[in-house]
Amino acid sequence: MTVVAMQVNGKQVSADVEPRTLLVHYIRENLRLTGTHVGCDTSQCGACVVHVDGLAVKSCTVLAVQAAGSKVRTIEGLADGDSLHPVQAAFKEHHGLQCGFCTPGMIMTAVDMLRRIPKPDEATIRQELEGNFCRCTGYHNIVKAIKAASEVL
Amino acid sequence: MYQFEYHRPKTVEEVTALLARCESPKILAGGMTLLATMKQRLAAPSDLIDLQDIPGISGISADAKNVTIGAMTRHADVASSKEVARAIPALAYLAGRIGDPLVRHRGTIGGSIANNDPAADYPAACLGLGASIVTNSREIPADDYFRGMFETALKDKEIILRIVFPIPQNAAYQKFPNPASRYAMVGAFVSRSAAGVRVAVTGAGPGVFRMTAMETALAKTFTPAALDGITAPIGEMLQDMHASGEYRASLIGVMAKRAVASLTG
Ligand SMILES: Cc1cc2nc3c(=O)[nH]c(=O)nc-3n(C[C@H](O)[C@H](O)[C@H](O)COP(=O)(O)OP(=O)(O)OC[C@H]3O[C@@H](n4cnc5c(N)ncnc54)[C@H](O)[C@@H]3O)c2cc1C
Ligand code: FES
Ligand code: FES
């Protein structure tokens, strides 16, 4: 076991874990932040996306020890108190979800996308969502929500 | 995933010492391939040696002749590099089409070419540009480095430090991505320089290879039509659930012609 410390959503945290512990399990099981989901566990679906030092990554394919000393942001760290992040608000407004399983990962990917590409067109949004699967919505309203968020951000 | 010990050395010398001391160590770069393999228990290293804290093996530099990319440079940084876009735009284009944005934030060029997946993109750029792979002990020309499916000239415990790409007159990469994985079903990298024309093909065979018949034809006339009728032996193509050998062989011509067309306007 090793003590793995990092900053998560602005708070310093640490936990005693095995080196083989995945970042997603550290977040869900040690920190009890269960907004980050595990869909495939094989780096395909993007349900587990979080930001590590500002970059969106699949946390099922990162070891917690690799992120030791880093700044991590999860879906729980996005809203400012009671007011939703503009991307969260846009997903709500435009019905960018049905069952909601993919949503935390979609939103974390979208926030990262809009940081790099502030005004993406529809084709770019779809291309940037290559690593996030949604089995419910058919993506249409997700794309709409991201487009709408890009206009207010 | 089996248990292992984790190390995060700060110098290449420490990496070498760990590689010598540990029982069955493995270098960890972006982890995009290695961690997946370990989850499936297809790899069970005793120790993982993470290269993320070693200065000097990530980053991009360019001079009049070469673009040099550190082994730990992430795909996203190559894709968005102004220096790469200026000197070898085809290389930035290629990096920006690997996997998805999340994979590109972690995956590294060193990890990609150490792994040498037969459908990976970077091997096509290395071979198509005649790059050199610089390790902790020597410099290996791309022509000698790639040895077929997941095989390279790397010795046990050898560490890739950087890749040096000579700047061509121009170059283009075209890939037909597998719609599920985004790996290349077939990708063709074409370059033109004082040293001649190079055509490197990935995804089609059991490892990246040069299409010398295409190179000769393009050296005479650099047009898509010059490639008419030039095919690869179907028996040497990969065949799997995604595509037959015939289909892959045919895609080589299509991708190479598209690459040439993009350079001839
Ligand atoms: C969903 C998904 C989609 C992908 N799509 C594509 C694609 O379209 N095209 C493509 O080309 N690739 C694709 N990849 C693979 C990706 O590019 C990986 O980044 C790459 O294969 C491995 O790089 P890595 O840095 O993650 O290496 P790791 O997984 O950390 O390491 C891979 C291997 O290389 C060794 N190694 C790493 N660095 C060094 C070094 N400096 N010296 C010596 N040995 C070293 C390791 O020991 C290990 O054996 C995809 C991966 C995923 C998960
Ligand atoms: S759970 Fe990580 S990509 Fe699917
Ligand atoms: S809303 Fe159900 S998977 Fe996307």
Side-chain angles (χ1 to χ4, degrees):
Chain A
M1 304 285 263
T2 6
V3 178
V4 171
M6 63 186 80
Q7 207 189 85
V8 177
N9 300 331
K11 272 196 234 120
Q12 197 58 39
V13 296
S14 91
D16 203 12
V17 296
E18 293 177 344
R20 63 177 168 176
T21 306
L22 298 172
L23 180 59
V24 70
H25 293 141
Y26 180 92
I27 290 169
R28 287 179 56 85
E29 286 161 26
N30 294 91
L31 307 181
R32 309 302 292 170
L33 294 172
T34 52
T36 304
H37 293 164
V38 179
C40 65
D41 191 33
T42 54
S43 41
Q44 307 296 318
C45 76
C48 64
V49 172
V50 302
H51 297 179
V52 175
D53 294 327
L55 304 177
V57 304
K58 290 170 170 169
S59 64
C60 73
T61 315
V62 178
L63 300 169
V65 279
Q66 283 178 287
S70 290
K71 290 196 172 90
V72 174
R73 188 136 81 132
T74 71
I75 188 74
E76 288 89 347
L78 222 46
D80 180 10
D82 282 343
S83 59
L84 293 177
H85 183 281
V87 175
Q88 289 174 307
F91 268 67
K92 187 174 171 210
E93 173 70 21
H94 295 273
H95 305 286
L97 61 147
Q98 286 179 23
C99 80
F101 194 84
C102 70
T103 314
M106 284 287 176
I107 290 178
M108 296 313 280
T109 295
V111 170
D112 176 85
M113 177 195 316
L114 297 177
R115 170 185 64 80
R116 290 179 289 112
I117 315 167
K119 300 283 174 229
D121 58 19
E122 186 186 327
T124 307
I125 295 172
R126 289 184 184 274
Q127 201 181 330
E128 287 284 319
L129 290 179
E130 194 61 66
N132 292 79
F133 298 172
C134 175
R135 304 308 299 267
C136 301
T137 64
Y139 300 94
H140 210 65
N141 287 354
I142 293 175
V143 175
K144 249 203 251 170
I146 296 173
K147 188 98 182 71
S150 76
E151 278 148 23
V152 300
L153 267 170
Chain B
M1 203 185 291
Y2 292 111
Q3 291 280 19
F4 54 84
E5 270 194 63
Y6 173 84
H7 311 267
R8 215 197 263 192
K10 300 246 174 337
T11 63
V12 174
E13 291 69 37
E14 280 176 59
V15 179
T16 323
L18 281 164
L19 285 171
R21 173 163 69 73
C22 301
E23 193 190 321
S24 55
K26 264 205 174 291
I27 287 170
L28 177 64
M32 290 296 105
T33 296
L34 182 55
L35 294 177
T37 323
M38 289 171 63
K39 283 186 190 180
Q40 293 170 291
R41 298 190 167 182
L42 295 172
S46 63
D47 296 78
L48 282 189
I49 306 170
D50 186 344
L51 301 185
Q52 70 169 306
D53 279 354
I54 300 176
I57 63 163
S58 66
I60 297 163
S61 64
D63 59 24
K65 286 201 174 131
N66 299 303
V67 170
T68 301
I69 302 181
M72 278 299 284
T73 311
R74 315 277 174 182
H75 306 330
D77 295 326
V78 176
S80 64
S81 159
K82 290 203 176 69
E83 278 159 315
V84 178
R86 207 178 306 123
I88 318 179
L91 186 56
Y93 173 90
L94 173 148
R97 272 148 193 82
I98 296 175
D100 59 55
L102 318 154
V103 169
R104 295 197 289 272
H105 280 149
R106 301 285 309 169
T108 68
I109 188 167
S112 176
I113 66 162
N115 190 51
N116 192 20
D117 189 295
D121 295 299
Y122 271 129
C126 293
L127 198 60
L129 289 164
S132 308
I133 289 88
V134 182
T135 73
N136 56 330
S137 59
R138 58 192 170 135
E139 195 168 324
I140 313 168
D143 284 314
D144 300 334
Y145 175 86
F146 298 102
R147 300 274 174 87
M149 197 167 303
F150 299 108
E151 292 290 330
T152 69
L154 284 182
K155 297 212 181 75
D156 193 28
K157 310 195 171 174
E158 193 167 0
I159 311 158
I160 302 172
L161 302 181
R162 58 187 172 274
I163 296 95
V164 182
F165 293 95
I167 300 173
Q169 278 155 27
N170 54 22
Y173 182 62
Q174 284 291 320
K175 99 160 149 175
F176 187 94
N178 176 318
S181 76
R182 314 316 288 172
Y183 274 95
M185 196 89 92
V186 168
F189 198 103
V190 177
S191 79
R192 245 195 317 184
S193 69
V197 176
R198 277 176 172 258
V199 179
V201 174
T202 189
V208 66
F209 61 91
R210 284 173 70 179
M211 280 289 284
T212 42
M214 287 186 168
E215 294 177 354
T216 314
L218 290 171
K220 282 195 205 113
T221 344
F222 198 84
T223 59
L227 300 179
D228 280 342
I230 304 178
T231 51
I234 287 164
E236 289 171 23
M237 300 291 98
L238 289 177
Q239 317 230 29
D240 54 26
M241 64 189 279
H242 305 299
S244 64
E246 285 86 346
Y247 188 59
R248 282 194 164 88
S250 144
L251 274 179
I252 296 176
V254 177
M255 292 301 118
K257 282 184 187 176
R258 281 187 194 166
V260 173
S262 75
L263 295 173
T264 50

